[in-house]
Amino acid sequence: MASSSSNLISLKTSDGTVFKVERALAKTMKTVQAIIEEADANIYMIPIHNVFSHHMDMIIDYYKLSVAGKSKEFSVEKLDNDELKDFLLAVHYLNMEDLFEVLTQAVADRLEKKSVGYVRKYFGIENDFTPEEYAAIRKKNDWAFKGDDIEPEEDEEKQEE
Amino acid sequence: MRLVMDTVEEEFVEIPIPIPSSTSSSSMAKRPCPSQNPRMELENLLYQFLSLSDRPSLSLDLSFENLLQSMPPDTDLIDRALKMGSLLLDAAKHSSRKRASNHNSIVWPLPPDLTFKIFSMLDTQSLCYVSAACSFFSKCAKDPLCYENLDLTTLVPKVNNAVVATMIQRAGKALRSLKLGVVPATACSPGFCQPMVSTIRKAIVEAPNFSWNDKRSRQGRESSVLTRCCLSPLSGDGGAPGALLRKLHLYNIERMDSTSLCGALSACPSLLDLEIVGIHVELRQTLMSVSANCHLIERLFFESSRTGRDDSLKAQTCSELVNNCPNLTSLSLRGFKLHDCKVRILVKGFRKLKYVDFSSSYSITGNFLRNLGNCNGGNLLEVLILRDCMHLKEMEVIRFLTAILAGDFKLLMHLDISNREGLACEADWYHRCYSSNNMPIKQVLEARPDMRLVAEYPSEGSYAETFDAEMNSDISLQFSSPTSDGSIFMSTSESSYNSDHGSGNEEGQDAVIYGESSDEDNNMNL
């Protein structure tokens, strides 16, 4: 089926860059793998929408680390929230299980144990509740809001507006 | 459906004429000729009114007052102004929220199913916080998938029965894992570290900002405590919640007892991973319940709430456990009184056993390790931890290490035989010994470079004063539980090893005879 001389698959990102990746790496991308398997003849180039070249760079980094057994060293700390979300969407599109787990955990880590005000600020989210709705939510889970171990609320006054 | 970033439409602004801000120039688009349509006329009026905000010297209150003066005295203008003002304010706030929601959908481009996945990785308290951030998060946080892995552990008592019940209900059929109780801040991952048993009191003392004098905390204290029935929701609804539960971890729930725990276990036939730390339940009863109900179990981690006191384990319990739970790969029984013959049944009997931790056990001498390791069972062992087992004999350890050198226990990767007080000497366990000359540690390290061998002992000649760098004083704090009769491990210059703590392997030496079931009120007269 595929030419045995080539163990490389060509992937073209949405910004036009072509990456030649090992077949083994392409196999971790279930979306790509499905395309390869469905094709009758050789595919020269597989376009991957929603994936940019900087995403591919990171994917290749992760792959190299995990092959060397060092997947724990892979870090997305340097990515800001938008970049991390973008990357997560790209990996989700490509359907890469392990890396997907890593990234969802990374987002969860950034959300964990933070006050409401902090979460909003950090992710650029705006409060779109009425004061009554907000009060109802806090009441519904009032045990959680008796916070000894979470940073204090900063924006409680603003609820009154 | 979430709107994809580059195709956002402005769906809700009906009139594409921007509301002028104070910074804009006079370039307001001319509105089309007002038709006879009353709706358009109202919007025109609204528009004109709102354009007033541009005026530099606007004094609405003065104008309104003047208007009032010019009207007959019985006018209802004030009421109208109140009504219309209020309506306008509500409308503006509503649109402002809509705008915020739209903004949020751009800033958080992840669709609901991805959001559920992320939320399911948060501890439950954080999930509550996140659900209050915006309406999209709040909606997502209602999905049962977010409650798949309930982590209700807290540093201080905060969760009561009602909270547990509510969360289990929210999870519904999605519930797979439940962690509950008080976990002190110093606890680290089990298996390789010091015990996690802690009274609630100690946990409170350690938590920042918590004061017994704090009125709010004192009022809430009673209602923040889990009682013995806290797990009954697992059995409710025909047992549906418990039926699919894979993981159950319980920490330091003061009021839980054997009956309630066994009741909960009977509702969890699919349990794979059970961790019980600092709960006042009897080992035998609990293992019997596991035996009877949790046949799929793969990991059992059990740390006694009363180190060295629970002597309840019987040989029959071990046999039953081995027969009924063949899938067990990881077994940790810490702080119990374990006899070699019974432990041997366990280690030999579990065919898939890879991970064993009997740290802080009383009575076992290491005798159980004899003749294990090739075809007699125990050959799959990868990790063996016998840390701080007070009656572990140096002689047995030497024998074991020799067996390793001879080629047994081929898969063993990690062995921990450390002891703060050294090992027991052959004749009299009260005497401690740890001479590196006798123990073939170096040889083992050479013969098995792949293996991690941890053997930390106090340097020869010294006792409680010198602690190894790895072992800090937290260990001694947690060992001496408040209910004990005194410091067990403090200093060996006093006769702190009492005959009660004898290995039990010697016939008729014990002064006090223990009954089959451990009596919690048992006063140990030392």
Side-chain angles (χ1 to χ4, degrees):
Chain A
M1 189 188 80
S3 67
S4 50
S5 57
S6 158
N7 269 331
L8 298 176
I9 308 275
S10 291
L11 301 173
K12 185 171 177 187
T13 59
S14 32
D15 51 352
T17 318
V18 178
F19 287 82
K20 289 210 167 74
V21 301
E22 288 174 35
R23 203 169 267 275
L25 169 53
K27 266 201 165 158
T28 67
M29 307 175 181
K30 290 199 184 138
T31 314
V32 169
Q33 189 62 14
I35 297 175
I36 295 177
E37 280 167 12
E38 271 180 31
D40 295 329
N42 287 340
I43 303 184
Y44 292 111
M45 186 103 64
I46 300 175
I48 39 179
H49 309 295
N50 305 331
V51 183
F52 287 80
S53 41
H54 55 268
H55 296 147
M56 274 309 296
D57 288 333
M58 288 192 281
I59 289 172
I60 291 172
D61 276 347
Y62 177 76
Y63 176 71
K64 285 191 187 150
L65 281 173
S66 61
V67 159
K70 293 182 187 169
S71 50
K72 299 235 159 113
E73 288 179 22
F74 182 72
S75 160
V76 287
E77 269 175 38
K78 58 185 184 313
L79 296 179
D80 70 26
N81 290 326
D82 290 332
E83 290 165 346
L84 180 56
K85 282 179 248 156
D86 257 359
F87 190 28
L88 177 58
L89 284 173
V91 169
H92 184 237
Y93 167 77
L94 289 172
N95 202 345
M96 308 177 68
E97 247 180 70
D98 290 347
L99 187 50
F100 180 67
E101 285 286 325
V102 169
L103 296 183
T104 44
Q105 186 64 59
V107 179
D109 289 344
R110 293 189 188 193
L111 282 171
E112 200 158 63
K113 297 206 187 330
K114 298 291 192 303
S115 71
V116 178
Y118 184 95
V119 167
R120 286 185 186 145
K121 204 164 135 207
Y122 196 63
F123 287 91
I125 298 170
E126 286 174 10
N127 177 15
D128 60 349
F129 290 124
T130 65
E132 296 82 22
E133 284 169 345
Y134 184 71
I137 288 176
R138 285 183 72 109
K139 185 154 180 254
K140 202 169 65 155
N141 298 311
D142 68 347
W143 67 275
F145 290 99
K146 284 189 235 159
D148 288 339
D149 42 2
I150 290 196
E151 295 158 38
E153 286 295 320
E154 292 148 0
D155 64 345
E156 257 164 323
E157 299 84 8
K158 290 187 197 156
Q159 291 305 319
E160 267 55 73
E161 269 180 345
Chain B
M1 290 295 276
R2 301 293 287 159
L3 299 171
V4 177
M5 216 161 123
D6 49 6
T7 58
V8 158
E9 298 163 274
E10 294 199 59
E11 71 203 82
F12 49 88
V13 177
E14 285 170 7
I15 312 161
I17 296 172
I19 302 292
S21 69
S22 51
T23 54
S24 74
S25 59
S26 56
S27 58
M28 271 190 328
K30 273 239 163 109
R31 300 196 80 228
C33 274
S35 65
Q36 299 312 304
N37 186 344
R39 186 167 148 257
M40 288 289 284
E41 205 177 307
L42 174 57
E43 284 160 11
N44 279 337
L45 283 173
L46 202 52
Y47 177 67
Q48 298 208 14
F49 175 67
L50 291 170
S51 315
L52 290 174
S53 68
D54 259 358
R55 290 207 188 163
S57 52
L58 176 74
S59 51
L60 209 54
D61 49 350
L62 211 59
S63 305
F64 184 64
E65 193 56 40
N66 289 341
L67 178 60
L68 269 182
Q69 298 299 329
S70 70
M71 299 286 284
D74 60 345
T75 183
D76 61 352
L77 218 53
I78 294 177
D79 295 324
R80 285 170 181 254
L82 287 169
K83 177 182 165 189
M84 297 305 284
S86 169
L87 286 175
L88 186 57
L89 184 59
D90 283 347
K93 281 189 175 173
H94 179 77
S95 296
S96 167
R97 286 193 293 271
K98 261 187 158 180
R99 185 176 59 181
S101 299
N102 207 43
H103 163 88
N104 291 347
S105 74
I106 294 168
V107 154
W108 185 268
L110 304 173
D113 59 328
L114 279 198
T115 311
F116 299 155
K117 174 113 180 99
I118 291 171
F119 283 10
S120 74
M121 292 172 156
L122 298 173
D123 65 278
T124 315
Q125 186 173 11
S126 295
L127 179 55
C128 294
Y129 269 74
V130 147
S131 74
C134 67
S135 57
F136 180 64
F137 279 12
S138 171
K139 267 193 216 109
C140 285
K142 289 189 179 143
D143 194 282
L145 285 174
C146 301
Y147 297 90
E148 188 182 53
N149 303 311
L150 286 179
D151 181 358
L152 289 165
T153 56
T154 52
L155 286 176
V156 295
K158 207 187 252 214
V159 174
N160 61 13
N161 293 10
V163 174
V164 179
T166 305
M167 296 305 166
I168 289 180
Q169 191 187 29
R170 286 185 195 170
K173 294 204 180 102
L175 185 63
R176 290 292 175 276
S177 160
L178 174 60
K179 296 186 189 176
L180 187 59
V182 175
V183 183
T186 49
C188 46
S189 65
F192 289 49
C193 295
Q194 52 258 41
M196 295 193 300
V197 173
S198 160
T199 60
I200 289 182
R201 201 157 184 283
K202 180 172 190 293
I204 289 172
V205 163
E206 280 180 359
N209 305 326
F210 193 101
S211 155
W212 285 110
N213 293 326
D214 187 331
K215 189 175 181 198
R216 190 178 67 155
S217 62
R218 216 190 302 149
Q219 280 168 353
R221 206 178 60 219
E222 279 310 285
S223 64
S224 300
V225 173
L226 293 164
T227 70
R228 57 185 299 276
C229 312
C230 58
L231 292 178
S232 51
L234 289 175
S235 318
D237 193 21
L244 297 167
L245 194 66
R246 302 261 154 83
K247 193 188 280 199
L248 181 61
H249 289 192
L250 303 171
Y251 305 95
N252 302 307
I253 302 175
E254 284 272 327
R255 298 192 192 179
M256 185 168 278
D257 59 10
S258 289
T259 319
S260 47
L261 176 59
C262 295
L265 289 175
S266 67
C268 303
S270 310
L271 207 59
L272 297 177
D273 181 339
L274 178 62
E275 186 163 315
I276 299 175
V277 174
I279 313 266
H280 306 307
V281 292
E282 193 200 59
L283 179 62
R284 184 177 76 105
Q285 276 187 28
T286 312
L287 291 183
M288 275 170 62
S289 184
V290 170
S291 225
N293 298 300
C294 310
H295 300 144
L296 301 175
I297 196 129
E298 293 173 6
R299 178 177 177 266
L300 192 49
F301 183 101
F302 208 147
E303 189 169 302
S304 176
S305 60
R306 310 167 306 141
T307 312
R309 306 279 197 101
D310 188 330
D311 185 26
S312 57
L313 190 62
K314 286 164 84 173
Q316 190 188 0
T317 317
C318 298
S319 305
E320 277 172 13
L321 192 64
V322 161
N323 287 334
N324 292 339
C325 305
N327 291 338
L328 200 72
T329 58
S330 169
L331 178 64
S332 303
L333 300 175
R334 288 159 56 143
F336 297 97
K337 206 158 173 170
L338 301 175
H339 297 120
D340 287 275
C341 49
K342 297 164 190 168
V343 162
R344 198 175 165 80
I345 297 174
L346 296 172
V347 177
K348 270 188 81 169
F350 288 120
R351 298 294 156 109
K352 300 184 186 173
L353 197 58
K354 289 187 188 168
Y355 183 107
V356 168
D357 181 357
F358 294 141
S359 297
S360 316
S361 296
Y362 278 54
S363 304
I364 54 171
T365 64
N367 185 304
F368 74 97
L369 291 166
R370 292 195 195 187
N371 298 322
L372 277 182
N374 31 30
C375 39
N376 285 339
N379 21 4
L380 292 183
L381 266 187
E382 292 175 13
V383 176
L384 178 60
I385 302 175
L386 296 169
R387 207 179 169 95
D388 291 323
C389 293
M390 295 321 298
H391 301 103
L392 188 63
K393 288 187 182 168
E394 191 194 33
M395 181 264 282
E396 297 291 351
V397 172
I398 293 172
R399 196 186 276 257
F400 179 62
L401 292 173
T402 313
I404 294 178
L405 283 173
D408 284 350
F409 299 101
K410 286 191 173 37
L411 297 175
L412 195 61
M413 285 293 116
H414 182 107
L415 174 64
D416 190 339
I417 39 173
S418 309
N419 200 310
R420 295 176 310 149
E421 309 275 356
L423 297 171
C425 287
E426 174 57 37
D428 178 1
W429 59 265
Y430 172 68
H431 279 112
R432 315 306 291 179
C433 44
Y434 30 77
S435 57
S436 42
N437 296 334
N438 294 346
M439 301 241 279
I441 291 183
K442 277 211 191 76
Q443 292 91 308
V444 171
L445 287 171
E446 275 165 32
R448 297 282 301 272
D450 50 333
M451 190 163 102
R452 186 167 172 241
L453 175 53
V454 185
E456 293 153 1
Y457 304 106
S459 48
E460 272 162 83
S462 65
Y463 285 84
E465 287 85 62
T466 46
F467 282 118
D468 194 291
E470 301 252 346
M471 301 185 253
N472 51 38
S473 53
D474 276 343
I475 295 183
S476 59
L477 259 176
Q478 285 168 329
F479 262 90
S480 52
S481 75
T483 57
S484 79
D485 300 298
S487 44
I488 303 175
F489 293 103
M490 281 312 139
S491 163
T492 52
S493 52
E494 306 153 11
S495 304
S496 51
Y497 296 134
N498 301 286
S499 57
D500 299 26
H501 300 298
S503 65
N505 283 339
E506 309 95 353
E507 297 277 318
Q509 272 194 12
D510 288 347
V512 175
I513 298 167
Y514 290 94
E516 292 297 291
S517 57
S518 48
D519 185 354
E520 288 180 46
D521 292 326
N522 192 13
N523 243 336
M524 294 196 11
N525 297 315
L526 299 172

